[in-house]
Amino acid sequence: NVLDLDRTLWFLALEIIFSDDDSYVNKGGMDYYVYWEKETDRIVPMEYDGNSCMDPMHLSWTPFYHETDADYALLNVLLGNDNIRQRYLAHMRTILDELFNSDYMDAYIDAMDTRIDALVNADPKKIYTYAQYNADVTELKTFVEEHYNDFINNTEIDRLDPEISET
C-alpha cells in the first residue's frame, strides 16, 4: 500500500545489472533516494549517482546479489516472495533484451565515444592518459558482453516467456 513495488523492482534490477558499486544493492545506504510521489501516493526509490558502475571487479554479481542478506531488506524480503521474484525476473529479462546487450550498448558506447573522444584527447588536465581512455571504452564493451552472458545463462532468467494465445 505504500511502496511502488513495480518501480522498486525496476530500480533493483537496473542497479544489479549495471553493477552499481555505490548503490543500495552493494553498500546499502548510498547514492539513492526514496521519495513519496504525490501522484501515486507511493514511495519510490531513485538512483542519483551512477558513476561507479560497470566495473569488471563486479562481474561476479548475480541477478540475486545480496538476496539472502537481511541488511538488504528490499532484496531479501522482496525476492523471497515467489510472485514478486517472477516480476523482478521479468524486468531483468526486459532490460537484458532491450538495453543491456552488446548490440544496443556497443552502439551507445560508440556514440558517446564519438561525442567526447576529441575532448578527452585535448584535455590538458586529464587524470588518465588517452590510451587508458581508449582501453576503458573497450573494457566497457567487454563488461557488457560478459555480464550479459552470465545473466542470460542464469537458470531463472533463461526461461521462455509464456505465449498468450487468447485474452
Side-chain angles (χ1 to χ4, degrees):
N1 293 330
V2 177
L3 180 69
D4 187 319
L5 181 60
D6 197 52
R7 287 171 64 187
T8 299
L9 296 174
W10 282 109
F11 167 77
L12 293 172
L14 284 164
E15 292 284 284
I16 289 175
I17 288 174
F18 280 89
S19 299
D20 190 357
D21 183 60
D22 283 344
S23 66
Y24 170 80
V25 300
N26 190 45
K27 294 182 180 171
M30 301 184 75
D31 294 356
Y32 74 99
Y33 293 116
V34 288
Y35 69 97
W36 173 74
E37 188 176 70
K38 182 178 178 180
E39 296 79 13
T40 62
D41 198 29
R42 297 274 194 284
I43 293 173
V44 178
M46 181 177 72
E47 162 73 37
Y48 78 85
D49 182 12
N51 66 331
S52 297
C53 59
M54 297 173 68
D55 187 325
M57 290 184 352
H58 303 305
L59 277 171
S60 63
W61 288 17
T62 71
F64 310 107
Y65 186 62
H66 283 304
E67 168 192 24
T68 60
D69 189 334
D71 289 337
Y72 294 84
L74 287 176
L75 293 164
N76 183 255
V77 174
L78 295 179
L79 297 182
N81 177 297
D82 288 338
N83 290 331
I84 294 171
R85 185 183 190 91
Q86 292 310 310
R87 287 174 63 183
Y88 167 79
L89 288 166
H91 292 345
M92 286 210 121
R93 285 184 203 103
T94 299
I95 295 165
L96 293 167
D97 288 346
E98 296 179 8
L99 175 69
F100 198 86
N101 58 68
S102 290
D103 289 340
Y104 181 87
M105 290 296 290
D106 284 2
Y108 185 79
I109 291 167
D110 288 342
M112 293 299 106
D113 179 47
T114 298
R115 291 177 71 180
I116 67 172
D117 180 78
L119 297 170
V120 170
N121 193 23
D123 184 355
K125 296 182 180 184
K126 59 184 161 269
I127 58 175
Y128 300 104
T129 68
Y130 182 64
Q132 286 172 306
Y133 165 78
N134 285 315
D136 285 347
V137 169
T138 301
E139 188 174 276
L140 282 174
K141 292 178 180 181
T142 301
F143 177 89
V144 170
E145 181 180 3
E146 290 178 13
H147 211 40
Y148 172 85
N149 288 334
D150 287 345
F151 275 67
I152 209 69
N153 289 320
N154 179 284
T155 57
E156 286 192 73
I157 290 180
D158 185 26
R159 291 188 179 169
L160 295 175
D161 293 331
E163 282 192 33
I164 300 172
S165 59
E166 186 176 327
T167 60

